[in-house]
Amino acid sequence: MKKLLLIGAATLIVSNSTFAGGILTNTNQHAAFLRMLSRGATTEIDGALSNPAGLAFLPKDGFHVGLSIQSAYQTRNIDASFMTYNGVNATSPTISDKPFEKYYEGTAAAPIIPSLFAAYKQGDWTISGFFAITAGGGKASFDDGLPMFDSAAMAGIFKNGLAGEKPMVITPDMYDITSAMDGKQYIYSLQLGLSYKATDWLSVFAGGRMNYFTGGYKGFLDAILKGTNTNLLPLALDCDQTGWGLTPVIGVDAKLGKLNIGAKYEFKTNLNIENNTKSIEYPRTPEGEAMVAPYQHGVNTPNDIPAMLSIAAAYEFLPVLRASVEYHFYDDKNAGMADGKQKFLTKGTNEYLAGIEFDVTKQLTLSCGGQITDYGLADGFQSDTSFSCDSYTLGFGAKVKMNQHLNLNVGYMWTTYEDYTKTSSNYNGTGLSGTNVYSRTNKVFGLSVDYSF
């Protein structure tokens, strides 16, 4: 039970990706994605990420650059209902008649998320790259705590603080939980590669991406039994984490008249995170040792980035009207995660995307798109501090051609998530039954400037 509390506190703030995409992969790095969503067959500068082979078909030789700034805001909420103890002493517990119910609201924000794209085309060869935050990038906080904290405190009060007392129901007014936790998690990625136009209609790409992980956690958690000096859950932590990994990337693009087909495969990135623990305090018991074992100095934790396949097709129906469809697969089940939690997934992630854009004038293009994300979720994968929900996303926006060299993209997307219900007969290790309903929201706004010279 206590081990769950520390892990929860340490991963609370940075447990989920801030962007669209897989469990540990951000796909929206450019405002063109926000306004259209399906960009896997693009031949514009944002293809440095979404379709690097397509950059061999850039309209002219020379340098092409793009700068994107995005802002993302999320909520991560838990509607909790779990039974509590009602008994004479710790050896003869009974369950209360009514469950404890509470709605926990969490917020996450990443107000400034930069990405930089660049390419240089000369004849049949194009060298391209991008720099971006491809995972993490946001902070989250639950001002009212988490279900795992309250349930563990209630169980701890009954076990450690009420033995021999007369019958009573354990309620939140019997204890005070004081916690403070600050965390950060970023995966900075730099990709470089070459595209080659093998024929008038076919191009290929090969490259690599360097990923650098940096994160850190600082904070404490106390659960004090009112009327006593008993601290049921004394924890403290100051831990930095770093790691790195290399992602090989290959791609192909086929330009067949008005039809363009793009495909990309990113190999699995083996990435381990190593602890640099400056201080750690915990109960000096065997249980305490086990509780903090994952955060001791020098411990390595797997945090692989899964392999990813993207296939897309774009078609020009009219000179002013274009549409695109796309498919993504993330091989999450074969990517190492902390405590081997990937084993609980029933399958990898499947995404289906579509977008359309219309040139209103020679200077203005309007667009919209949608995305469906289907994870292979299971109860064993979900927790209070790290949960995902199947979803659909809608986006819209515009591209403005300022002149023959400069384009401006602006986009907005929001995600609607399907609630996930997890029912347990051993709620957070307390031996009691309970249910959590996990829900999320996501809104992202972005602005990008692309320049060719």
Side-chain angles (χ1 to χ4, degrees), residues 120-328:
Y120 177 75
K121 181 177 182 295
Q122 185 63 48
D124 294 333
W125 292 92
T126 302
I127 183 172
S128 66
F130 71 86
F131 175 80
I133 301 172
T134 55
K139 293 184 178 182
S141 61
F142 286 80
D143 294 336
D144 295 326
L146 285 170
M148 61 192 305
F149 295 164
D150 281 320
S151 61
M154 290 180 183
I157 287 173
F158 183 82
K159 181 178 179 181
N160 302 318
L162 298 177
E165 297 290 332
K166 59 185 179 180
M168 62 189 309
V169 177
I170 309 303
T171 58
D173 58 5
M174 297 177 183
Y175 60 88
D176 285 322
I177 292 181
T178 304
S179 64
M181 189 62 61
D182 184 27
K184 59 182 179 179
Q185 183 189 71
Y186 301 90
I187 295 183
Y188 297 100
S189 296
L190 175 64
Q191 178 173 304
L192 293 174
L194 278 172
S195 302
Y196 176 64
K197 187 177 178 183
T199 71
D200 290 340
W201 59 274
L202 181 68
S203 64
V204 293
F205 170 84
R209 182 185 307 163
M210 177 62 73
N211 306 278
Y212 178 74
F213 177 101
T214 178
Y217 315 109
K218 293 182 180 180
F220 66 90
L221 172 64
D222 295 321
I224 306 298
L225 180 63
K226 287 187 176 180
T228 74
N229 291 323
T230 304
N231 187 353
L232 302 173
L233 301 167
L235 304 171
L237 179 68
D238 186 354
C239 176
D240 292 331
Q241 296 179 320
T242 58
W244 66 274
L246 181 64
T247 308
V249 183
I250 57 175
V252 62
D253 188 273
K255 194 170 182 63
L256 308 171
K258 296 181 179 181
L259 174 67
N260 194 65
I261 300 173
K264 176 186 67 167
Y265 185 77
E266 300 179 358
F267 292 82
K268 183 180 77 170
T269 307
N270 294 314
L271 194 156
N272 285 325
I273 300 171
E274 183 174 352
N275 293 344
N276 178 16
T277 304
K278 302 174 182 177
S279 65
I280 187 168
E281 298 179 10
Y282 55 94
R284 301 294 172 169
T285 63
E287 293 80 9
E289 292 288 343
M291 171 180 64
V292 300
Y295 299 96
Q296 294 287 7
H297 182 76
V299 170
N300 279 268
T301 303
N303 197 58
D304 294 348
I305 302 173
M308 182 261 197
L309 172 68
S310 169
I311 302 175
Y315 190 78
E316 182 182 271
F317 292 95
L318 297 171
V320 296
L321 180 65
R322 299 165 296 279
S324 178
V325 294
E326 190 169 350
Y327 169 73
H328 295 164

Side-chain angles (χ1 to χ4, degrees), residues 379-401:
D379 286 356
F381 182 82
Q382 305 281 63
S383 67
D384 290 0
T385 58
S386 180
F387 59 87
S388 299
C389 300
D390 293 341
S391 65
Y392 69 87
T393 299
L394 299 175
F396 68 93
K399 179 174 73 172
V400 180
K401 297 180 180 179

Side-chain angles (χ1 to χ4, degrees), residues 25-78:
T25 308
N26 299 336
T27 54
N28 59 302
Q29 300 290 350
H30 195 280
F33 179 94
L34 302 181
R35 68 175 179 85
M36 190 176 175
L37 293 176
S38 178
R39 300 293 293 177
T42 185
T43 57
E44 298 180 7
I45 187 60
D46 60 302
L49 168 66
S50 56
N51 184 30
L55 295 184
F57 295 106
L58 282 166
K60 61 181 181 179
D61 289 353
F63 286 100
H64 307 262
V65 296
L67 174 64
S68 181
I69 302 293
Q70 298 184 63
S71 297
Y73 301 91
Q74 295 184 347
T75 63
R76 304 172 188 173
N77 303 322
I78 306 173

